[in-house]
Amino acid sequence: MKSITIKGSERESVGKKATKALRNAGKVPCVIYGGDKPLHFAADELSFKDLVYTPNAHTVVVDLEGGKKYDAVMQDIQFHPVTDNILHVDFYQLFKDKEVTMDIPVRLLGNSPGVRNGGRLLFRKRKLAIKALPDNLPDFFDVDISKLRIGGNISVSTLLKDEFTILHPENTVVVQVKAARNAVLTDEEDEEGEEGAEAAAEAPAEGGEA
């Protein structure tokens, strides 16, 4: 999984006045959990744009003044209810031998024949929560819908791997195609129609030789 570097400076004071001063200066107060003790730091709000305003999942390298670096994932983020400015970010420190829980985005690949026949595509799970060692975190779940017909679905059971644990029941539907009013034919009807046309073309004319 790709990492984004967040440069910041460690801080000791976590009082309201100090926090307000940071925000007024365009800084975001942050904390990293998971180590021996919580680590407080501040970073420029602009440095979060590639981490927050994207559908992709990323790990983070928190690069603090003095050369200290911490591998982490973003666990929680708070926004101002009016301005949408970032108020606070919580990170969780990563260790190579310790599993972490993270939401991984789902990408749909291909074109569904069910949709081409007028069915309605329902993307039920755009992200899936998984538990894995940091080195086994995937960037995406790629789901091929090129054979998905009307009435069909793709569930979590098709995405299971030994490298991680998906924290959803195996029968959880990720994507499905439902019949819509404008659907002309189901895929099965489409195939039967094609087979019927081929059989008719091969059959001899009435009164002809067998």
Side-chain angles (χ1 to χ4, degrees):
M1 177 175 287
K2 296 178 181 177
S3 291
I4 290 177
T5 299
I6 302 290
K7 292 184 176 293
S9 55
E10 193 172 349
R11 66 190 187 98
E12 293 182 2
S13 177
V14 293
K16 289 184 178 180
K17 287 185 178 180
T19 299
K20 185 176 181 181
L22 283 172
R23 290 170 179 154
N24 289 340
K27 304 280 188 180
V28 176
C30 307
V31 62
I32 302 176
Y33 296 104
D36 295 333
K37 61 180 181 179
L39 174 67
H40 297 272
F41 71 98
D44 290 334
E45 185 171 4
L46 289 175
S47 63
F48 291 91
K49 63 182 179 65
D50 292 332
L51 176 65
V52 177
Y53 306 108
T54 174
N56 301 334
H58 297 284
T59 55
V60 177
V61 177
V62 177
D63 186 1
L64 300 181
E65 294 175 353
K68 296 180 181 178
K69 293 185 178 181
Y70 301 87
D71 293 323
V73 290
M74 187 175 69
Q75 288 290 92
D76 188 41
I77 185 167
Q78 298 173 21
F79 294 94
H80 192 283
V82 177
T83 64
D84 278 341
N85 289 339
I86 301 173
L87 295 179
H88 192 273
V89 180
D90 289 349
F91 292 95
Y92 188 82
Q93 188 173 351
L94 295 178
F95 299 93
K96 287 188 176 294
D97 59 347
K98 191 174 180 179
E99 289 186 320
V100 64
T101 299
M102 194 169 184
D103 288 337
I104 305 298
V106 176
R107 293 192 302 190
L108 302 184
L109 305 179
N111 296 305
S112 163
V115 173
R116 289 199 300 270
N117 280 351
R120 187 159 53 100
L121 185 73
L122 300 177
F123 198 173
R124 299 291 191 186
K125 285 288 183 182
R126 295 179 181 272
K127 289 186 176 182
L128 294 173
I130 74 167
K131 191 173 185 179
L133 294 174
D135 288 344
N136 292 337
L137 290 169
D139 292 313
F140 299 94
F141 281 110
D142 286 331
V143 176
D144 185 3
I145 61 171
S146 60
K147 296 181 180 179
L148 189 57
R149 301 171 175 173
I150 292 175
N153 68 69
I154 297 174
S155 66
V156 163
S157 62
T158 65
L159 304 174
L160 301 178
K161 286 189 177 181
D162 294 336
E163 290 82 1
F164 49 74
T165 301
I166 300 180
L167 303 178
H168 302 273
E170 291 186 17
N171 62 353
T172 300
V173 174
V174 177
V175 61
Q176 65 184 137
V177 176
K178 280 198 167 186
R181 289 184 179 180
N182 64 337
V184 179
L185 294 170
T186 66
D187 298 289
E188 289 78 14
E189 288 171 339
D190 222 359
E191 288 181 351
E192 288 172 3
E194 290 175 3
E195 290 171 1
E198 291 175 1
E202 294 173 0
E206 186 177 348
E209 296 181 1

